[in-house]
């Protein structure tokens, strides 16, 4: 098998940076291989992917040295866009690659860029929707869909190009556990049919259950962090009261309450209304009903929507924050404290937004997928920070598809399905209820019967 990607002593430096993000990197990927790229958050995994698809160095004015060959040809000899019909990419944040309003229009736009005759478009759109299980979403407005649904649409757009190489940046980060398993199985079947070469970035390799042929580690780090499951810090004092919160498009009347110091996880299938509920609670979308209190801290799924300053440290301190230097240290952001918050990795952006909200001192904090893009060390620190703040009275409502993290932090679990809140449950009762898990596309967290939890 021939090499489709070959790095030889490749180094890469971003403009205005003193330290290289990649240094003397050498590896190759053969046609038909399935390779996973791992390493700590911020070590350059996404940068590596962007070198493979030729987004870098031209689009960031970075400095590339060494030899990088794509299909036995130096990458720098390709004209802009020339290689992208052979190497397709699904980005970590799918919103970054959408241009059109509806799913059908986005697919048609992709085909137009490939110069596909109009009379052939209908057949190709129908085929790719069937292949990816997205036929019911053909006329859906993309920005009204869940993060997981957007991820599947972005994958469908990439596959329309019939690429030889598919680059995936944490493709299951926004998928519920059941859908993630189906996605991996579907991808495995597709790879065998089309002989695709797959290069993926992933923190949680165990979920892939032997899918990859081999692993490329960019930086060594402790691969497993064992922690104790936190004990409840609820204080039998009402903190958040939600009464019949709803909107006209999807969210059905929802009522629940959380106690002071309670850590609640909000879980359920992709598209069940979890992010919609958080936005409704924060009055970011039109909604009826009552929320007490009405000033809530919020960390969105796309954290860059919050950023308004020019450095990571300023962003965290913007609200007159406390313990800024401590949060920088504990959330592994000290080495990027002077960087622009838009210039750091996806995982670091998320930690910046989390740190800013923790520093702001809000009594109630809502987080949407805070574990996405985080390595084991970052997850361990986030777990400890949530535990410490909860013991001092902060209440958390956390949307996550990471069942190990949910098991580690949750006092209670709120479950949603098809726009309805189906119930609030004691966390330990959820993991042992097979029917409840299946109905909400969840899987039992590893080691749920013990007090010990591993972040791999």
């Amino acid at each position: 098998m021939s090499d489709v990607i070959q790095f030889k002593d490749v180094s890469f430096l971003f403009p205005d940076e003193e330290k290289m993000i990649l240094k003397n990197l050498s590896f190759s990927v053969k046609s038909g291989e399935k390779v996973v790229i791992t390493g700590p958050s911020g070590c350059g995994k996404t940068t590596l992917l962007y070198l493979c698809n030729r987004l870098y160095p031209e689009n960031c004015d970075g400095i590339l040295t060494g030899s990088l060959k794509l299909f036995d040809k130096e990458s720098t000899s390709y004209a802009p866009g020339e290689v992208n019909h052979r190497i397709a990419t699904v980005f970590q944040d799918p919103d970054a690659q959408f241009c059109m309003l509806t799913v059908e229009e986005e697919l048609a736009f992709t085909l137009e860029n490939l110069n596909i005759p109009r009379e052939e478009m209908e057949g190709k759109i129908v085929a790719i929707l069937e292949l990816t299980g997205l036929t019911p979403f053909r006329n859906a407005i993309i920005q009204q869909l869940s993060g997981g649904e957007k991820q599947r649409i972005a994958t469908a757009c990439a596959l329309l190009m019939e690429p030889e190489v598919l680059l995936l940046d944490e493709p299951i980060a926004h998928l519920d556990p059941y859908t993630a398993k189906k996605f991996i199985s579907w991808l495995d079947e597709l790879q065998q049919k089309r002989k695709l070469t797959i290069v993926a970035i992933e923190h949680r390799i165990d979920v892939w259950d032997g899918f990859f042929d081999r692993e490329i580690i960019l930086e060594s780090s402790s691969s497993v962090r064992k922690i104790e499951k936190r004990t409840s810090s609820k204080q039998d004092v009402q903190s958040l009261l939600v009464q019949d919160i709803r909107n006209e498009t999807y969210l059905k009347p929802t009522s629940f309450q959380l106690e002071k110091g309670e850590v609640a996880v909000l879980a359920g299938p992709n598209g069940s209304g979890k992010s919609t509920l958080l936005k409704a609670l924060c009055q970011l979308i039109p909604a009826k009903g009552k929320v007490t209190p009405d000033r809530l801290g919020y960390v969105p799924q796309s954290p860059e929507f919050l950023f308004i300053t020019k450095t990571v440290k300023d962003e965290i301190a913007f609200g007159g924050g406390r313990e800024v230097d401590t949060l920088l240290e504990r959330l592994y952001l000290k080495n990027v404290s002077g960087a622009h918050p838009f210039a750091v990795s996806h995982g670091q952006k998320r930690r910046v937004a989390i740190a800013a909200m923790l520093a702001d001192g809000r009594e109630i904090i809502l987080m949407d997928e805070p574990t996405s893009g985080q390595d084991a060390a970052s997850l361990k620190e986030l777990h400890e920070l949530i535990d410490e703040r909860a013991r001092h009275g902060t209440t958390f409502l956390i949307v996550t598809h990471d069942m190990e993290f949910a098991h580690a932090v949750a006092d209670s679990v709120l479950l949603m399905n098809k726009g309805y809140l189906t119930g609030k449950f004691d966390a330990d009762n959820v993991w042992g209820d097979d029917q409840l898990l299946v109905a909400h596309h969840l899987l039992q967290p590893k080691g749920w019967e013990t007090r010990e939890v591993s972040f791999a």
Side-chain angles (χ1 to χ4, degrees):
M1 293 184 291
S2 61
D3 291 340
V4 292
I5 298 171
Q6 185 182 69
F7 281 62
K8 187 175 181 181
D9 293 325
V10 169
S11 296
F12 187 73
L13 180 70
F14 283 110
D16 302 322
E17 293 286 334
E18 295 180 2
K19 184 181 177 182
M20 291 182 178
I21 185 72
L22 299 173
K23 188 174 182 180
N24 300 329
L25 183 63
S26 297
F27 72 91
S28 61
V29 178
K30 295 189 178 299
S31 178
E33 272 197 300
K34 295 175 288 185
V35 176
V36 61
I37 310 293
T38 65
S41 177
C43 71
K45 300 183 297 295
T46 298
T47 298
L48 185 153
L49 232 59
Y50 288 2
L51 289 172
C52 291
N53 64 17
R54 297 282 292 124
L55 270 177
Y56 290 170
E58 284 81 359
N59 289 293
C60 69
D61 295 324
I63 300 170
L64 174 68
T65 61
S67 172
L68 170 52
K69 291 184 177 180
L70 306 173
F71 305 105
D72 291 322
K73 180 179 174 181
E74 284 291 341
S75 66
T76 52
S77 65
Y78 285 98
E82 182 184 354
V83 79
N84 294 108
H85 70 286
R86 301 180 71 183
I87 300 178
T89 307
V90 180
F91 296 93
Q92 192 173 62
D93 179 7
D95 284 319
Q97 62 193 95
F98 294 136
C99 300
M100 308 303 287
L101 182 66
T102 69
V103 173
E104 180 183 53
E105 289 170 341
E106 188 67 34
L107 293 170
F109 181 71
T110 302
L111 292 171
E112 286 174 354
N113 284 323
L114 295 171
N115 294 318
I116 301 299
R118 184 172 294 273
E119 59 271 16
E120 296 179 22
M121 287 187 181
E122 174 64 19
K124 289 184 178 291
I125 289 172
V126 169
I128 202 68
L129 288 171
E130 289 179 355
L131 180 67
T132 54
L134 290 168
T135 300
F137 296 91
R138 176 167 181 161
N139 297 309
I141 296 172
I142 293 174
Q143 293 308 319
Q144 292 180 353
L145 300 178
S146 72
E149 289 161 347
K150 290 177 182 177
Q151 193 80 353
R152 290 164 60 196
I153 292 159
T155 305
C157 291
L159 293 171
L160 265 181
M161 302 169 72
E162 299 184 1
E164 297 166 59
V165 179
L166 186 60
L167 307 178
L168 303 168
D169 196 347
E170 294 209 54
I172 62 171
H174 299 300
L175 301 182
D176 66 65
Y178 175 79
T179 303
K181 288 287 186 184
K182 284 185 65 178
F183 177 87
I184 293 165
S185 176
W186 164 78
L187 190 65
D188 190 33
E189 195 174 307
L190 182 73
Q191 190 271 342
Q192 293 180 45
K193 285 180 181 177
R194 297 195 176 182
K195 307 302 180 187
L196 274 170
T197 303
I198 294 177
V199 179
I201 291 172
E202 187 56 72
H203 283 292
R204 302 182 64 220
I205 305 174
D206 58 311
V207 179
W208 290 76
D209 197 24
F211 173 89
F212 296 106
D213 299 318
R214 61 191 175 94
E215 177 182 355
I216 296 172
I217 304 172
L218 289 194
E219 280 184 23
S220 61
S221 64
S222 178
S223 59
V224 177
R225 302 291 176 109
K226 293 187 181 297
I227 62 168
E228 283 290 313
K229 184 185 184 302
R230 62 178 296 277
T231 55
S232 178
S233 49
K234 295 189 292 184
Q235 298 173 22
D236 200 26
V237 176
Q238 182 184 293
S239 175
L240 175 65
L241 178 63
V242 178
Q243 297 173 292
D244 289 328
I245 196 77
R246 62 200 184 277
N247 73 350
E248 294 181 358
T249 57
Y250 191 67
L251 183 64
K252 307 302 188 293
T254 298
S255 300
F256 64 92
Q257 68 179 50
L258 301 180
E259 294 179 20
K260 189 178 181 68
E262 184 171 358
V263 180
V265 160
L266 181 59
N270 288 122
S272 60
K274 302 182 297 296
S275 296
T276 301
L277 175 57
L278 292 196
K279 291 174 184 175
L281 295 178
C282 295
Q283 303 174 40
L284 295 175
I285 58 174
K288 297 178 181 179
K290 186 177 181 181
V291 180
T292 309
D294 59 3
R295 288 187 74 249
L296 310 175
Y298 175 55
V299 180
Q301 205 170 95
S302 297
E304 55 268 27
F305 291 153
L306 293 179
F307 299 155
I308 54 177
T309 69
K310 293 184 178 180
T311 72
V312 165
K313 186 171 183 177
D314 288 346
E315 192 64 42
I316 295 171
F318 182 77
R322 307 169 298 171
E323 302 180 351
V324 173
D325 289 332
T326 300
L327 288 165
L328 282 167
E329 185 80 38
R330 294 190 62 179
L331 288 172
Y332 302 97
L333 295 168
K334 191 173 181 179
N335 65 326
V336 295
S337 63
H340 197 290
F342 281 95
V344 299
S345 77
H346 187 77
Q348 289 167 330
K349 287 176 184 175
R350 201 168 291 270
R351 296 203 300 280
V352 171
I354 291 168
M357 206 51 62
L358 290 173
D360 198 35
R362 296 294 175 96
E363 294 182 2
I364 301 168
I365 298 178
L366 316 182
M367 296 182 177
D368 198 347
E369 297 286 2
T371 68
S372 175
Q374 307 307 323
D375 57 25
S378 300
L379 288 175
K380 182 176 183 292
E381 283 298 334
L382 180 58
H383 168 273
E384 292 180 359
L385 280 166
I386 289 171
D387 184 43
E388 290 171 15
R389 292 302 178 90
R391 295 192 183 285
H392 284 90
T394 304
T395 303
F396 291 88
L397 179 59
I398 303 169
V399 171
T400 184
H401 291 305
D402 185 334
M403 291 299 97
E404 278 68 41
F405 188 79
H407 170 48
V409 301
D411 298 316
S412 56
V413 178
L414 282 70
L415 295 177
M416 291 197 74
N417 205 349
K418 298 179 180 177
Y420 288 95
L421 182 69
T422 54
K424 180 185 177 185
F425 306 86
D426 181 87
D428 290 335
N429 293 337
V430 171
W431 314 131
D433 191 327
D434 291 339
Q435 284 188 319
L436 204 60
L437 294 173
V438 169
H440 295 86
H441 287 194
L442 305 178
L443 299 174
Q444 284 181 340
K446 293 179 179 64
W448 69 276
E449 292 175 305
T450 69
R451 303 295 298 179
E452 194 175 75
V453 183
S454 293
F455 292 149

